[in-house]
């Protein structure tokens, strides 16, 4: 997978923030962005809800950075995002950051204990005639930061309540502790940000863990050091303050609205195929398959944060496209960390991948099937094909139940192009045939498409 592909993941003011801070850090921009999304989503989580089709959900964005120790710059990424947040809201992280999740009941107790401390401080202030300036007793925001997230995975195997409470917290549901010193926590705004190494993640997570639904709620980002700064480099604090000022305006804006929704154009984008594209993204990949059920909602949540930072209460098409790019890179990160097929790590360009599939399907293939085999979005394939004279496009037959007619693509032969026409070349050797590929977990198997895949994978046994 390509390194530091952050350009398409940001939009408007979000991009401005990254442009301001990235010259000051060796962290991966995707890591800084992920940490910022978690921190900001916790900041605004008690002020605004996401409303999609009448269904309300928190804007909480859970992220996990995975990178080699010393080279991933995971802590550096979080620290840079924290610098920006500390300018925007100086006391927020001090008051709301926590760590050391050991059990489900422990998480609830941490919330209840903080509420009780705030209540006691408020009463003390009233009794002594002082103005109370501490945390609100109704503030249910908490940012759980785990520098070694594999320990949380291990604890989740020992304590069945931990993952259950975390899943409910992501959903924004009420939490209730059945132990004597517990209590009921109403609609918490609980956000998780973690760090792990590739080996630590691979060695501790199982297919059962992922299928359980806790870890697919997180957007995982594989991170590496973006550059090496001189030992003499001094952080430009003016840049940090400018980025913080942008964020401060966004937090103030979020405090004045109750909900954020999809714009009509964004709804059309989903209805015209984006939702299917997300649901089916590389769904034949066993490592990605279990992460797809939460991908659409994560796109909504990330898009909501993008809209708020850009001072809008509607999620635009640009927000959604940037959010999908961020979540898609997260899915690619999972496959990269857990082990991918040779086809997907060979360094092929998107054009190479499309041409390979077209050569193997001379009768034509739909954009959706190209997407399932290569991960190249159908919209990209169409835009690319429209610029070429050697690609034949037409509308295929719709499904029996009246579904959309697919756009079909076919590579024209030299004879069809005329004597002057030439077939395009590609860096990938042509392969006449290969085993049929079934799209595992998709609604419709790709029975008419052939493509070679590697069956042996050194990481395959890790999820058994």
């Amino acid at each position: 997978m390509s390194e530091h592909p952050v350009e398409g993941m940001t939009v408007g003011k979000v991009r401005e923030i990254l442009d301001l801070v990235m010259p000051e850090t060796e962290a991966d921009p995707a890591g800084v962005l992920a940490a910022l999304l978690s921190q900001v989503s916790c900041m605004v989580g008690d002020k605004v809800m996401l409303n999609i089709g009448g269904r309300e959900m928190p804007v909480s964005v859970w992220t996990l950075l995975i990178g080699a120790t010393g080279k991933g710059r995971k802590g550096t990424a979080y620290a840079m995002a924290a610098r920006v947040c500390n300018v925007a809201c100086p006391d927020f992280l001090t008051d709301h950051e926590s760590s050391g999740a050991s059990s489900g009941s422990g998480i609830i107790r941490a919330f209840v204990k903080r509420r009780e401390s705030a209540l006691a401080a408020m009463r003390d202030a009233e009794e002594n005639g002082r103005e109370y300036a501490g945390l609100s007793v109704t503030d249910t925001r908490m940012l759980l930061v785990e520098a070694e997230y594999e320990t949380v995975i291990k604890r989740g195997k020992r304590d069945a309540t931990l993952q259950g409470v975390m899943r409910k917290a992501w959903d924004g549901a009420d939490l209730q502790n059945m132990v004597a010193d517990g209590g009921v926590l109403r609609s918490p705004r609980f956000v998780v940000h973690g760090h792990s190494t590739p080996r630590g993640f691979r060695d501790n997570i199982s297919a059962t863990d992922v299928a359980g639904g806790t870890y697919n709620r997180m957007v995982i980002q594989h991170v590496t050091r973006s550059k090496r700064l001189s030992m003499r480099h001094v952080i430009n604090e003016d840049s940090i303050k400018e980025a913080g000022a942008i964020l401060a305006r966004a937090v103030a804006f979020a405090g004045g609205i109750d909900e954020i929704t999809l714009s009509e154009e964004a709804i059309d984008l989903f209805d015209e195929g984006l939702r299917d594209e997300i649901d089916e993204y590389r769904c034949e990949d066993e490592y990605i398959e279990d992460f797809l059920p939460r991908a659409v909602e994560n796109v909504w949540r990330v898009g909501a944060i993008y809209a708020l930072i850009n001072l809008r209460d509607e999620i635009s098409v640009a927000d959604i496209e940037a959010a999908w790019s961020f979540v898609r890179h997260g899915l690619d990160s999972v496959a990269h960390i857990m082990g991918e097929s040779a086809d997907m790590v060979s360094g092929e360009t998107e054009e190479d991948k499309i041409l390979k599939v077209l050569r193997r399907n001379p009768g034509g293939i739909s954009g959706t099937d190209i997407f399932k085999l290569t991960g190249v979005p159908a919209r990209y394939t169409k835009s690319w094909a429209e610029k070429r004279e050697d690609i034949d496009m037409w509308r295929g037959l719709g499904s029996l139940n009246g579904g959309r007619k697919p756009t079909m693509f076919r590579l024209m032969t030299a004879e069809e192009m005329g004597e002057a026409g030439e077939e395009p070349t590609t860096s990938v050797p042509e392969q006449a045939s290969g085993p049929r590929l079934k799209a595992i977990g998709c609604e419709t198997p790709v029975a008419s498409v052939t493509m070679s895949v590697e069956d042996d994978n050194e990481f395959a046994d890790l999820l058994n």
Side-chain angles (χ1 to χ4, degrees), residues 57 112 145 161 173 198 235 239 270 278 324 347-348 428 460:
M57 63 196 79
V112 174
V145 181
T161 67
I235 292 178
S239 294
F270 277 100
I278 296 172
W324 171 218
E348 296 173 330
V428 181

Side-chain angles (χ1 to χ4, degrees), residues 96-384:
H96 295 84
E97 192 176 292
S98 184
S99 62
S102 58
S103 66
S105 59
I107 289 175
I108 299 174
R109 279 198 298 268
F111 275 106
V112 174
K113 183 177 179 180
R114 192 180 68 184
R115 182 173 61 189
E116 290 175 345
S117 297
L119 185 59
M122 179 183 292
R123 288 172 178 168
D124 181 71
E126 291 177 352
E127 291 172 359
N128 290 279
R130 299 192 309 270
E131 182 179 353
Y132 177 70
L135 288 175
S136 167
V137 295
T138 60
D139 190 341
T140 60
R141 293 173 294 174
M142 182 179 291
L143 177 62
L144 179 69
V145 181
E146 296 289 350
E148 295 182 357
Y149 200 77
E150 54 266 30
T151 62
V152 178
I153 299 175
K154 293 176 183 177
R155 290 168 186 160
K157 298 177 187 295
R158 296 194 299 266
D159 187 299
T161 67
L162 179 57
Q163 291 192 35
V165 166
M166 292 180 71
R167 287 193 295 271
K168 292 184 70 175
W170 188 83
D171 295 334
D174 293 347
L175 301 180
Q176 184 171 4
N177 199 346
M178 301 305 294
V179 299
D181 60 343
V184 177
L185 187 65
R186 303 295 183 189
S187 302
R189 295 299 174 253
F190 183 60
V191 177
V192 179
H193 176 82
H195 301 160
S196 183
T197 64
R199 180 176 293 277
F201 185 74
R202 286 194 303 262
D203 289 355
N204 288 286
I205 200 165
S206 67
T208 302
D209 293 328
V210 179
T214 302
Y215 304 108
N216 65 14
R217 284 168 163 80
M218 308 187 79
V219 182
I220 294 173
Q221 295 290 324
H222 180 259
V223 293
T224 59
R225 181 175 58 207
S226 62
K227 57 184 171 296
R228 188 182 293 280
L229 295 175
S230 168
M231 294 291 290
R232 294 185 176 87
H233 179 80
V234 177
I235 292 178
N236 184 347
E237 295 296 341
D238 288 339
S239 294
I240 308 301
K241 290 177 181 178
E242 186 176 348
I246 294 173
L247 186 57
R249 289 191 290 272
V251 174
F253 172 79
I257 62 174
D258 295 323
E259 67 176 25
I260 185 166
T261 60
L262 287 173
S263 68
E264 290 298 321
E265 294 79 9
I267 293 173
D268 291 340
L269 181 65
F270 277 100
D271 287 346
E272 291 169 3
L274 181 60
R275 181 153 193 169
D276 292 338
E277 179 180 314
I278 296 172
D279 286 339
E280 297 173 359
Y281 183 71
R282 290 179 62 178
C283 57
E284 76 283 356
D285 192 311
E286 62 179 308
Y287 302 118
I288 289 180
E289 182 183 2
D290 287 327
F291 281 83
L292 289 176
R294 301 290 184 278
V296 168
E297 187 163 342
N298 271 322
V299 169
W300 290 340
R301 293 182 181 211
V302 173
I305 300 301
Y306 285 171
L308 291 172
I309 293 177
N310 284 287
L311 309 182
R312 285 185 271 101
D313 60 2
E314 279 192 340
I315 306 170
S316 70
V317 168
D319 297 327
I320 289 297
E321 290 180 336
W324 171 218
S325 180
F326 176 74
V327 173
R328 185 170 65 239
H329 186 256
L331 295 172
D332 291 341
S333 293
V334 171
H336 176 77
I337 293 159
M338 301 305 293
E340 296 186 347
S341 68
D343 259 359
M344 303 309 294
V345 296
S346 60
E348 296 173 330
T349 65
E350 291 180 323
E351 291 84 354
D352 285 337
K353 294 174 184 177
I354 297 171
L355 285 170
K356 176 189 286 186
V357 173
L358 292 177
R359 287 177 178 274
R360 292 174 179 173
N361 295 273
I365 181 173
S366 71
T368 299
D369 286 343
I370 292 174
F371 167 71
K372 291 175 181 178
L373 289 168
T374 66
V376 178
R379 289 176 294 124
Y380 177 92
T381 300
K382 182 178 180 182
S383 175
W384 170 82

Side-chain angles (χ1 to χ4, degrees), residues 334-458:
V334 171
H336 176 77
I337 293 159
M338 301 305 293
E340 296 186 347
S341 68
D343 259 359
M344 303 309 294
V345 296
S346 60
E348 296 173 330
T349 65
E350 291 180 323
E351 291 84 354
D352 285 337
K353 294 174 184 177
I354 297 171
L355 285 170
K356 176 189 286 186
V357 173
L358 292 177
R359 287 177 178 274
R360 292 174 179 173
N361 295 273
I365 181 173
S366 71
T368 299
D369 286 343
I370 292 174
F371 167 71
K372 291 175 181 178
L373 289 168
T374 66
V376 178
R379 289 176 294 124
Y380 177 92
T381 300
K382 182 178 180 182
S383 175
W384 170 82
E386 288 174 343
K387 300 173 184 177
R388 298 180 64 107
E389 296 181 355
D390 56 349
I391 303 297
D392 185 21
M393 289 195 303
W394 71 97
R395 283 289 186 182
L397 297 176
S399 62
L400 294 177
N401 60 5
R404 296 189 315 274
K405 293 182 179 181
T407 302
M408 305 295 295
F409 301 87
R410 183 177 67 88
L411 182 63
M412 299 171 66
T413 64
E415 290 75 13
E416 290 174 307
M417 293 291 295
E419 292 184 0
E422 293 183 1
E423 283 195 79
T425 59
T426 175
S427 60
V428 181
E430 183 174 356
Q431 186 168 336
S433 63
R436 293 189 180 276
L437 176 64
K438 181 179 180 182
I440 301 172
C442 299
E443 292 183 1
T444 305
V446 190
S448 62
V449 181
T450 61
M451 188 172 185
S452 297
V453 296
E454 288 289 336
D455 293 328
D456 56 333
N457 190 307
E458 60 179 320

Side-chain angles (χ1 to χ4, degrees), residues 60-121:
S60 306
V61 179
W62 292 17
T63 54
L64 176 62
L65 305 185
I66 300 183
T69 301
K71 297 180 181 179
R73 293 296 193 267
K74 304 179 291 291
T76 305
Y78 184 84
M80 179 51 70
R83 278 177 171 266
V84 177
C85 289
N86 285 333
V87 171
C89 299
D91 298 323
F92 178 80
L93 293 179
T94 300
D95 292 337
H96 295 84
E97 192 176 292
S98 184
S99 62
S102 58
S103 66
S105 59
I107 289 175
I108 299 174
R109 279 198 298 268
F111 275 106
V112 174
K113 183 177 179 180
R114 192 180 68 184
R115 182 173 61 189
E116 290 175 345
S117 297
L119 185 59

